[in-house]
Amino acid sequence: MKISGWICLAVLVASVAAAAERQQDIVLADFEGGTYGDWQVTGTAFGRRPARGTLPNQMPVSGYEGRGLVNSFYDGDDSIGTLTSPEFVIERKFISFLIGGGRYPGRTCINLLVGGRIVQSATGPNDRPGGSERLNWRVWDVSALVGQKARIEIVDRCTGGWGHITVDHIVMSDERASLDQSREFVVSERYLNLPVKNGATMRRMRVLVGESIVREFEIELAEGEPDFWVFLDLTAFQGRTVTVQVDNLPRYSRGLRLVGQGDEIRAARRLYREKYRPGFHFTSRRGWNNDSNGLVFFKGEWHLYYQHNPYGIKWGNMHWGHAVSEDLVHWKELPIALYPQRFGDWCFSGSAVVDVDNTGGFQEGGEPAIVVAYTSTGRGECIAYSNDRGRTFAEFEGNPVVEHKGRDPKVIWYEPGGHWVMALYHEVDDKRTIAFYTSKDLKAWEFASLIDGFYECPELFELAVDGDAGNRKWVLHAADGDYMVGAFDGRVFTPESGKHKFSHGNCFYASQTYSGVPAEDGRRIQIAWGRVEMPGMPFNQMMLFPVELTLRTTGEGVRLAARPVREIERLHETSRSWEDLTVPMGRNPIPGVEGELLHIRAALRTDGVEKLGFVIRGTEVVYDVGEQRLACLDKTAPVSPVEGVLRLELLVDRTSIEIFANDGRVYMPMGATLPDDNKSIQILAEGGPAGIESLEVHALRSIWP
Ligand code: FRU
């Protein structure tokens, strides 16, 4: 082998004994020098010399060794080029290297060429912006090629997208620099506890029973001290021998060794008592949540399914988490209801109905089945059914039932026509629409119509205007909640209004309303995802407090209103009330009132004052009388007082203030992480004293055990 500037010998192994037993490693290139040496450069992507870490305008690059590396971000993402090594002889069983950047096979890649043919190729880890710029080990088994002449070629033929590649430390060795590691054990306990470190390299982990993969997901596996622990429920595998595998772990990693069984969720001593755990809003014990899914009432239980990443606090690995409540305020988290069928085929949003007449034939015992419709990202719109009160689901064997470009099926029963309706987010030529399909049996679906101008998570329901059963209207909205009022004949939605704003807050998204609510209750109850970051917590995001929706005639026309469900009163612990108060100008503490979990109702007189409202633990909720505008943080909403009185209702929790003005005509849910060291509640009055017709402050008890 020719030893030129780019080839040198190096001992990489720490243990002298191990080194003595096997041949020394050969570092093909470490890119520490000031030039590429004998490597051939074409194009501009690779510059003239190895990069020193991150290049201008690039997100921070990490995971390389030493100071230099190959980085094809010279001239940004659009530049192209190649970098080719001189010929060398393959003398060891493995070639290992660090690689990062774009996942575009054949376009951003490193190739091993023997006799001019590509015999091995690897690409970067990410195909979308915002993915990690972290380099990771990859290993090629070249044992069958020992003795052959070869070249290494690093390629960037990608323009646009995330089109660059990073490579460092190419080494020939008789050992792999990283390993796909695995551990085998007999399941005897309830959970597999998994350590997570935020920002660690995302690893692919799988659990196998025999040859079959039963769980597979991505996780930022901690290699040392974890930030927190997540868990995987092993109930279904009790007594079986399972193998846990992790791809591509560096040799030194302790990641897999930390993984262990337990009958308890690890580090759960402070579960539900964490600093930012909302006291009366649903949050998952661990992991991430987004949209509410499958909201259905059945046999005394309000089911809340939701978009869930059980293994990290960011969006990903989409499952359907599950919680139930008997009163819409106290929630009990149950095991995951929908698991992805395979890696990459995620369970996106959808809805649930009770198939009272067994139209689908899914019922097995004396009780109707709960049927869910959800988006399988690998297959299309799918149906699954439960005969155990929504705990576990079986897939309909004819899935998918609808294939199209879109997602988020919302299924309702259309009583007058005696058929089911599925509203779907549907893309046609990049246009965003809602499509309606119909079915008699939840299995065979027929396209009915389309309406433009709505994005993901459609919702469709009928409501009596002003409670008048003889005057009913339909409401159609998508994830942002902005809605049209109109007519629906079971196939076509005919708008009778333009779009109206629903939420004036900063965190509302992807809401749903309950199906299966008994006629004697008759409420239209909504739960939305509260997009709120939970700093430093082992869980992230929340659900907004359930609200009752009504349609009301206003001066502007028929509009939606949202009020917290009356069950909030079950949480009242201590209550205080005042009438006909006059509060002087300034910020005045309400005598004896402070706290973290509160329900406030107030009727404020707007005459003789410029601004009035509340200061909640330092955050103002203030009405500007002249501007007729309610403001909180960076959000405002137009509100007019009614006969000189502004009615405000506030739900205050550790990370949110939900504001309802004029009996819910204006709904303003706000995510706000309130400071621990300020529990004060004040009344604010500017331009005159505040006249308060009535005020109630209820301290709330936590919903958690
Ligand atoms: C809305 C959404 C849905 C999708 C889901 C994926 O927040 O993007 O359209 O089904 O989240 O988690």
Side-chain angles (χ1 to χ4, degrees):
M1 184 183 66
K2 179 174 154 229
I3 311 238
S4 67
W6 68 280
I7 299 179
C8 64
L9 290 172
V11 179
L12 282 187
V13 280
S15 142
V16 176
E21 281 165 21
R22 61 178 182 82
Q23 299 195 70
Q24 288 179 328
D25 295 346
I26 301 168
V27 177
L28 289 172
D30 61 9
F31 304 106
E32 291 303 305
T35 69
Y36 284 124
D38 297 347
W39 288 61
Q40 300 278 319
V41 187
T42 69
T44 56
F46 294 94
R48 309 224 134 269
R49 60 190 66 85
R52 288 273 181 258
T54 309
L55 289 168
N57 301 322
Q58 188 173 25
M59 286 185 286
V61 177
S62 61
Y64 52 97
E65 297 204 342
R67 296 173 58 213
L69 76 156
V70 174
N71 185 344
S72 78
F73 199 75
Y74 280 97
D75 276 352
D77 264 337
D78 281 343
S79 55
I80 58 172
T82 62
L83 185 64
T84 310
S85 79
E87 200 164 68
F88 63 96
V89 177
I90 298 176
E91 293 180 64
R92 300 285 185 273
K93 288 193 251 173
F94 301 102
I95 296 180
S96 301
F97 49 89
L98 287 159
I99 184 166
R103 174 154 60 188
Y104 301 102
R107 294 197 294 148
T108 51
C109 56
I110 175 169
N111 299 325
L112 181 67
L113 304 167
V114 172
R117 277 186 37 244
I118 299 176
V119 293
Q120 291 276 3
S121 183
T123 184
N126 292 298
D127 57 6
R128 55 179 162 154
S132 162
E133 280 280 16
R134 198 177 162 77
L135 282 75
N136 267 298
W137 284 109
R138 284 291 296 269
V139 184
W140 287 329
D141 182 341
V142 290
S143 49
L145 301 168
V146 170
Q148 308 231 30
K149 288 185 182 156
R151 281 181 204 275
I152 282 172
E153 170 190 65
I154 304 172
V155 177
D156 181 349
R157 273 193 210 104
C158 200
T159 54
W162 214 53
H164 63 275
I165 181 118
T166 50
V167 172
D168 196 18
H169 214 89
I170 308 171
V171 60
M172 277 198 287
S173 170
D174 284 330
E175 281 199 342
R176 295 163 173 271
S178 74
L179 294 174
D180 294 345
Q181 295 183 20
S182 68
R183 272 183 51 198
E184 201 179 86
F185 56 91
V186 177
V187 176
S188 59
E189 293 178 82
R190 170 82 196 265
Y191 300 111
L192 187 65
N193 287 302
L194 307 166
V196 178
K197 181 88 185 164
N198 292 317
T201 300
M202 198 59 100
R203 307 275 176 206
R204 178 89 75 94
M205 186 177 257
R206 61 186 82 75
V207 178
L208 292 95
V209 175
E211 294 288 283
S212 61
I213 299 172
V214 292
R215 303 280 180 258
E216 191 172 11
F217 50 88
E218 288 186 322
I219 180 167
E220 289 174 331
L221 190 68
E223 288 173 4
E225 194 53 39
D227 286 333
F228 62 98
W229 293 82
V230 295
F231 60 92
L232 185 153
D233 194 330
L234 292 170
T235 309
F237 317 118
Q238 287 299 312
R240 310 289 294 273
T241 301
V242 304
T243 309
V244 180
Q245 283 180 357
V246 189
D247 284 359
N248 207 20
L249 269 188
R251 229 165 228 301
Y252 57 81
S253 171
R254 288 171 57 217
L256 197 53
R257 265 176 285 155
L258 295 172
V259 169
Q261 290 190 72
D263 276 326
E264 304 291 333
I265 298 168
R266 186 117 181 226
R269 204 173 41 85
R270 288 190 50 76
L271 179 64
Y272 295 129
R273 286 178 179 70
E274 300 93 340
K275 181 162 150 188
Y276 292 119
R277 176 74 70 176
F280 62 100
H281 288 83
F282 178 77
T283 46
S284 188
R285 285 173 292 185
R286 292 282 192 270
W288 158 278
N289 83 266
N290 51 293
D291 317 357
S292 56
N293 290 156
L295 299 188
V296 63
F297 179 84
F298 186 57
K299 304 275 175 200
E301 289 180 322
W302 301 91
H303 291 269
L304 166 59
Y305 300 95
Y306 57 93
Q307 288 289 283
H308 183 37
N309 180 1
Y311 309 118
I313 53 163
K314 296 190 200 121
W315 184 91
N317 297 318
M318 280 297 136
H319 292 59
W320 274 32
H322 187 198
V324 287
S325 173
E326 286 173 12
D327 61 4
L328 283 169
V329 287
H330 294 89
W331 295 98
K332 182 166 187 263
E333 194 172 329
L334 296 179
I336 285 165
L338 288 183
Y339 284 94
Q341 304 251 303
R342 62 188 60 80
F343 185 87
D345 183 2
W346 306 119
C347 304
F348 272 20
S349 285
S351 55
V353 291
V354 180
D355 187 5
V356 182
D357 298 326
N358 196 22
T359 62
F362 297 124
Q363 183 174 331
E364 278 159 15
E367 279 181 359
I370 294 182
V371 180
V372 299
Y374 74 98
T375 302
S376 132
T377 59
R379 292 170 292 150
E381 311 307 348
C382 287
I383 295 290
Y385 55 93
S386 168
N387 279 294
D388 60 359
R389 300 196 173 180
R391 269 58 181 175
T392 60
F393 286 86
E395 287 268 326
F396 165 49
E397 75 261 344
N399 278 336
V401 294
V402 177
E403 283 178 273
H404 70 129
K405 195 163 174 221
R407 55 183 178 270
D408 308 337
K410 169 72 191 192
V411 173
I412 61 166
W413 176 249
Y414 183 69
E415 184 64 43
H419 64 81
W420 300 100
V421 174
M422 184 189 283
L424 281 170
Y425 169 58
H426 180 77
E427 286 173 15
V428 221
D429 305 331
D430 291 332
K431 239 200 315 198
R432 295 171 165 188
T433 77
I434 289 176
F436 299 100
Y437 283 72
T438 59
S439 173
K440 287 278 180 198
D441 60 4
L442 294 162
K443 298 171 172 171
W445 292 90
E446 203 181 290
F447 174 79
S449 68
L450 272 186
I451 178 165
D452 267 15
F454 289 92
Y455 190 39
E456 51 196 19
C457 303
E459 174 60 289
L460 173 70
F461 51 86
E462 196 184 22
L463 272 176
V465 180
D466 305 317
D468 172 4
N471 179 18
R472 300 175 73 82
K473 300 261 176 229
W474 286 80
V475 174
L476 180 68
H477 68 76
D480 63 6
D482 293 354
Y483 62 100
M484 282 181 176
V485 178
F488 185 66
D489 66 0
R491 298 176 56 79
V492 178
F493 181 86
T494 310
E496 292 170 1
S497 78
K499 246 196 208 176
H500 307 303
K501 199 164 178 60
F502 176 66
S503 162
H504 295 268
N506 66 358
C507 64
F508 174 98
Y509 203 69
S511 66
Q512 253 189 37
T513 66
Y514 272 93
S515 68
V517 180
E520 58 279 17
D521 181 319
R523 287 177 296 174
R524 179 59 52 185
I525 293 165
Q526 177 196 74
I527 297 181
W529 167 24
R531 290 168 102 154
V532 182
E533 285 290 317
M534 304 285 169
M537 295 291 105
F539 61 95
N540 197 8
Q541 313 288 302
M542 62 190 279
M543 291 299 167
L544 294 182
F545 195 77
V547 292
E548 179 182 354
L549 301 180
T550 50
L551 272 182
R552 241 191 262 162
T553 308
T554 71
E556 302 162 305
V558 175
R559 295 289 187 274
L560 271 180
R563 301 277 308 265
V565 294
R566 59 175 175 263
E567 286 84 346
I568 184 71
E569 292 178 5
R570 293 175 176 235
L571 301 179
H572 289 180
E573 193 167 44
T574 52
S575 301
R576 309 204 41 190
S577 63
W578 295 262
E579 267 171 32
D580 286 324
L581 271 183
T582 303
V583 182
M585 279 201 284
R587 291 160 166 248
N588 297 283
I590 311 172
V593 175
E594 57 169 32
E596 289 186 299
L597 315 181
L598 298 166
H599 180 200
I600 299 174
R601 288 186 190 123
L604 307 173
R605 288 198 195 95
T606 55
D607 39 317
V609 58
E610 284 163 15
K611 284 189 178 176
L612 84 171
F614 292 91
V615 189
I616 308 291
R617 304 180 59 192
T619 296
E620 292 184 0
V621 178
V622 177
Y623 185 63
D624 184 317
V625 178
E627 304 271 337
Q628 302 226 325
R629 215 169 46 200
L630 185 64
C632 180
L633 299 171
D634 61 336
K635 294 288 169 188
T636 60
V639 187
S640 316
V642 179
E643 290 164 12
V645 173
L646 175 77
R647 287 184 190 282
L648 274 187
E649 183 165 11
L650 308 180
L651 296 181
V652 181
D653 203 335
R654 297 195 175 92
T655 62
S656 60
I657 305 174
E658 283 147 301
I659 306 164
F660 304 83
N662 279 352
D663 301 313
R665 249 303 290 130
V666 171
Y667 175 41
M668 200 169 171
M670 299 296 294
T673 303
L674 299 170
D676 309 350
D677 55 351
N678 181 354
K679 306 253 177 353
S680 71
I681 309 297
Q682 297 162 307
I683 289 179
L684 179 146
E686 281 178 24
I692 297 178
E693 207 170 84
S694 64
L695 173 64
E696 292 168 32
V697 182
H698 309 276
L700 302 178
R701 58 177 81 86
S702 158
I703 62 172
W704 302 116

